[in-house]
Amino acid sequence: MGKIKLKNIRTYSNHGCLLEEAKIGSDYLVNLEIECDLSISSLSDQLNDTVDYVLLNRIVVEEMAIRSELLEHVAHRILVRAMNEAPTITKIEVEVSKINPPIGGDVEAVTIIMSKTRE
């Protein structure tokens, strides 16, 4: 087994419950960690024997571009789509952080973390 991590994928998205968030948008960071069998690709040196991190990045960017009121909703879409498009993933964890959220306080970021394991 092994892990592939994508750290601090930056997007500008329009998630949130407030009307202003839908209009103005804000900065987000997404971290993705997957578990899969890397033993074959470590020997073959072939991209088709591993999970392509270009695909994972594209999934994150495309799903972050679709407006959601809740970070949980966009994170769930990322989890499901990654599992569907990369069938060798055995486990995936996603962290979605809203930078400088409008919550009436001096908060650097709000982060939700969700995971999914293949059954």
Side-chain angles (χ1 to χ4, degrees):
M1 293 304 286
K3 293 181 181 181
I4 297 174
K5 295 181 181 183
L6 281 75
K7 295 183 180 181
N8 294 329
I9 302 167
R10 293 171 191 84
T11 70
Y12 192 84
S13 304
N14 296 78
H15 306 301
C17 296
L18 302 176
L19 184 58
E20 296 82 21
E21 293 173 302
K23 291 180 181 179
I24 298 169
S26 57
D27 292 309
Y28 291 83
L29 290 177
V30 178
N31 292 305
L32 194 66
E33 180 176 305
I34 66 147
E35 292 183 17
C36 60
D37 184 357
L38 297 177
S39 63
I40 297 171
S41 60
S42 69
L43 297 174
S44 73
D45 197 27
Q46 297 298 309
L47 181 60
N48 61 349
D49 290 332
T50 191
V51 177
D52 186 355
Y53 50 80
V54 173
L55 168 67
L56 297 174
N57 184 69
R58 185 174 67 242
I59 289 169
V60 168
V61 170
E62 289 175 359
E63 293 302 325
M64 288 297 290
I66 301 168
R67 177 168 160 64
S68 291
E69 288 192 8
L70 300 178
L71 298 181
E72 294 90 325
H73 189 257
V74 70
H76 174 76
R77 290 197 321 262
I78 292 168
L79 292 172
V80 169
R81 185 165 166 205
M83 292 288 263
N84 287 341
E85 294 187 28
T88 58
I89 294 174
T90 56
K91 183 177 181 184
I92 182 170
E93 180 175 278
V94 63
E95 298 180 20
V96 180
S97 299
K98 180 183 283 193
I99 309 303
N100 297 318
I103 61 173
D106 186 10
V107 178
E108 181 179 334
V110 172
T111 302
I112 64 98
I113 302 170
M114 295 176 66
S115 62
K116 185 171 181 61
T117 302
R118 192 174 303 278
E119 298 175 7

